[in-house]
Amino acid sequence: MPVNSTDPDRLVNVVLVKGGRTKIRYPAELLADDGTRIAVRAPWAGEGVRDFGFVRFEPGDVFTEYYWRDRWYSVKEVRAASGVLKGWYCDITRPATLTGGELVVEDLDLDLWRSADGGDVRRLDEDEFAESGLAERDPEAAAAAVTALDELEVLARGDRFEELAG
């Protein structure tokens, strides 16, 4: 369902939870919600510049974010203030919930980056995931997270990845 961006009821707060605590909360414009996939748009919510070495997130960047109620990941299209596509940052998460204006996702530490040209696909934070203890606390969730990362990597290396965000 397309959403009118001038409607104040179409604003949501994205809440990223990690380790049982809120990691970050930021306002976003709800673009669409078809009952399974939720799309929002928000400016870079971090403070200052975050330089990963392979990409920089900085003030003015715009993130169009896609969350699913039935998938264990989110896909975030990242564009510079000029509109130039930087790439996609993908978080491995539990399926998203949208309730009362809050879009809540639980970050499971694993991430994936795909550059704009698709030439750089990299798995991130596998060490953090191993150290998180999720495999011991919740083996089923840990297995779902690894499976989701594997699936995303296959998609990211293929020519149909952009359909996730289309």
Side-chain angles (χ1 to χ4, degrees), residues 30-134:
L30 179 64
L31 301 175
D33 180 358
D34 67 8
T36 301
R37 187 181 78 161
I38 304 158
V40 302
R41 181 172 297 129
W44 164 239
E47 293 184 22
V49 174
R50 177 119 188 244
D51 190 342
F52 290 93
F54 51 88
V55 66
R56 289 171 48 103
F57 296 161
E58 48 203 342
D61 285 353
V62 176
F63 286 64
T64 304
E65 305 174 358
Y66 301 90
Y67 299 90
W68 286 265
R69 291 179 172 96
D70 63 350
R71 297 184 190 180
W72 286 69
Y73 56 79
S74 62
V75 174
K76 300 169 183 177
E77 179 189 88
V78 185
R79 292 188 177 270
S82 66
V84 172
L85 178 65
K86 292 184 174 186
W88 293 268
Y89 195 91
C90 307
D91 286 317
I92 303 303
T93 66
R94 291 184 190 268
T97 60
L98 178 59
T99 308
E102 278 197 344
L103 176 59
V104 179
V105 289
E106 182 181 349
D107 186 341
L108 299 177
D109 291 309
L110 294 170
D111 301 301
L112 182 103
W113 169 255
R114 182 183 193 260
S115 62
D117 67 2
D120 182 10
V121 175
R122 57 179 74 205
R123 296 164 75 110
L124 305 168
D125 303 329
E126 290 178 295
D127 54 338
E128 287 180 31
F129 178 74
E131 294 168 6
S132 74
L134 184 64

Side-chain angles (χ1 to χ4, degrees), residues 7-8 12 25-27 29 35 42 77 81 117 122 127 152 164:
D7 183 350
V12 297
R25 172 189 299 267
Y26 54 92
E29 174 189 358
E77 179 189 88
D117 67 2
R122 57 179 74 205
D127 54 338
L152 265 177
L164 284 173

